[in-house]
Amino acid sequence: MSGRTYDCIIIGAGPGGLQAAIYLARYNRGVLLIDWGGGRTRHAKSIENVLTHRRISGTELIERGLEQARIFNVEIVKGRVTSVKKDGPFTVATAAASYRSLTVVAASGVSDNFPPLENLYRFLGVSYFTCVDCDGYKTTNKKLAVVGDSLGAVNLALAMKRLYTRDVIFFPYRLDLPGSFADILKEEGIPTAASEPTRLIGDSELEALELADGTRVPCEAVMASFGYRLNDEYLAGLPLKKDAEGRKYVVGGACESSVSGLYIVGPLNTGNDQVVIAAGEGATAAIDINKRLLEKAWSSETGEDGAGAPEGADR
Ligand SMILES: Cc1cc2nc3c(=O)[nH]c(=O)nc-3n(C[C@H](O)[C@H](O)[C@H](O)COP(=O)(O)OP(=O)(O)OC[C@H]3O[C@@H](n4cnc5c(N)ncnc54)[C@H](O)[C@@H]3O)c2cc1C
């Protein structure tokens, strides 16, 4: 255990964690950012919906964020957080070390479920997409395959046709499509493929999906719907409030969870999963954390409850 108690430990160097780190470091707070590497943002090869960036890759966005965080003296260590415990302050553990902190921001994001399609990674983020809000626009007027393993994928196919392209084919993947759903697709002019794809075909541009029998279905883009897993194992054991499905974490307006001092930003909470949203939540959490720490310092110095704390400490 390091002897130091940080003002905040941030778990995950995606847009949410990096933005929180930059804000807190610019209050001259002691900030430790622990990151395992990889992450969902790095799968995004071409992000087009972040203000002032006509186009930026997720990797460049993260690398620039790390550089900016270092400039403001954020301490960054590579490691996978395995547990967070609260006993007064927080204890955050990786396999290699344990650290103490007054507050924690969980910003470890989610991981996509990928079906075993050959060449998937070659096209991921280029013409194999997993998020309508991110990449739906790139399918405009393209020959599109919607592939999914749940009935939600049927709604996705209908939405894609309405928003982006008339040329949609639906591939149920290991999914028994009820007749009523097949009928809706038919009525909307969306053909349903008879079997599932096994391979994406093409060099730099996607040209077709290949089926198990070798048939090739011409296609320029795939919108896939296979869901994702939360990167939240280290939160097990904390009494955290979750949504009605018992999956995502419920947070307040400043992204504080039901455990005081533990903030959860990005797609681990019930909001939408976007770069600017995660970043905005990181900033929101950081501002609240700073106010809280000011109040705490004020009340321990004066014995008052923080109501008379200096300007900027109004909660
Ligand atoms: C193909 C693709 C394209 C996308 N395109 C766009 C787009 O165009 N626009 C847009 O707004 N969004 C896009 N997104 C979504 C965007 O990537 C997410 O909104 C964003 O990743 C959310 O950021 P985050 O802060 O949750 O962190 P993430 O980017 O998910 O990063 C989380 C970090 O936490 C780390 N981590 C995880 N577990 C641990 C642990 N236990 N200990 C330590 N570190 C841990 C990971 O290693 C990772 O570095 C896209 C996503 C994908 C997959």
Side-chain angles (χ1 to χ4, degrees):
M1 171 90 73
S2 125
R4 177 171 183 188
T5 298
Y6 291 91
D7 289 318
C8 186
I9 290 180
I10 297 168
I11 303 164
L18 283 166
Q19 189 71 78
I22 290 164
Y23 264 71
L24 282 164
R26 293 187 68 263
Y27 295 120
N28 294 316
R29 297 292 179 188
V31 182
L32 175 66
L33 175 60
I34 307 177
D35 183 58
W36 181 238
R40 199 164 190 243
T41 305
R42 287 184 189 266
H43 287 313
K45 301 215 174 72
S46 153
I47 297 173
E48 299 180 341
N49 56 5
V50 170
L51 192 67
T52 76
H53 290 286
R54 170 62 191 90
R55 190 170 287 137
I56 185 168
S57 76
T59 296
E60 185 180 355
L61 192 136
I62 298 300
E63 291 301 327
R64 284 198 199 182
L66 286 166
E67 191 186 325
Q68 193 176 354
R70 282 192 195 98
I71 289 169
F72 295 114
N73 299 319
V74 173
E75 204 179 309
I76 302 173
V77 298
K78 182 167 166 74
R80 185 188 287 277
V81 171
T82 52
S83 74
V84 173
K85 296 201 172 108
K86 188 173 186 200
D87 177 16
F90 290 90
T91 302
V92 177
T94 66
S98 287
Y99 308 90
R100 284 174 85 73
S101 181
L102 299 174
T103 60
V104 168
V105 175
S108 46
V110 298
S111 300
D112 288 273
N113 296 324
F114 293 121
L117 293 178
E118 206 178 318
N119 297 334
L120 188 155
Y121 289 96
R122 184 191 302 170
F123 293 105
L124 178 60
V126 178
S127 34
Y128 181 100
F129 304 120
T130 61
C131 160
V132 179
D133 307 309
C134 312
D135 293 318
Y137 180 80
K138 293 174 188 160
T139 71
T140 302
N141 296 330
K142 294 242 168 100
K143 199 174 264 303
L144 175 70
V146 173
V147 187
D149 62 356
S150 70
L151 293 178
V154 173
N155 287 334
L156 176 62
L158 298 174
M160 293 306 291
K161 179 150 190 199
R162 183 148 301 185
L163 292 170
Y164 300 114
T165 175
R166 300 183 61 77
D167 196 348
V168 180
I169 177 168
F170 181 64
F171 284 85
Y173 192 92
R174 298 181 191 172
L175 169 71
D176 280 332
L177 195 62
S180 55
F181 282 77
D183 290 346
I184 292 170
L185 286 165
K186 202 169 172 187
E187 275 167 29
E188 294 294 324
I190 300 175
T192 301
S195 69
E196 23 187 81
T198 54
R199 190 149 77 111
L200 285 79
I201 304 289
D203 291 325
S204 54
E205 305 274 322
L206 180 64
E207 291 165 15
L209 289 183
E210 189 174 280
L211 313 183
D213 64 4
T215 312
R216 290 185 177 188
V217 178
C219 154
E220 295 168 291
V222 173
M223 185 56 76
S225 172
F226 290 87
Y228 52 65
R229 310 174 302 285
L230 307 192
N231 301 325
D232 66 345
E233 298 81 358
Y234 60 88
L235 293 175
L238 288 170
L240 286 161
K241 189 171 173 200
K242 293 193 177 180
D243 63 12
E245 290 163 25
R247 186 156 191 253
K248 291 201 162 195
Y249 296 93
V250 173
V251 294
C255 296
E256 189 174 13
S257 71
S258 53
V259 170
S260 175
L262 172 63
Y263 292 70
I264 301 182
V265 305
L268 291 181
N269 71 34
T270 53
N272 288 317
D273 180 17
Q274 289 287 280
V275 166
V276 294
I277 294 175
E281 291 179 353
T284 302
I287 290 170
D288 201 67
I289 288 169
N290 181 56
K291 287 177 180 172
R292 164 171 301 213
L293 295 176
L294 272 179
E295 274 177 12
K296 207 171 168 172
W298 182 259
S299 58
S300 70
E301 279 164 26
T302 64
E304 293 171 13
D305 63 2
E311 199 177 334
D314 53 322
R315 292 174 56 79

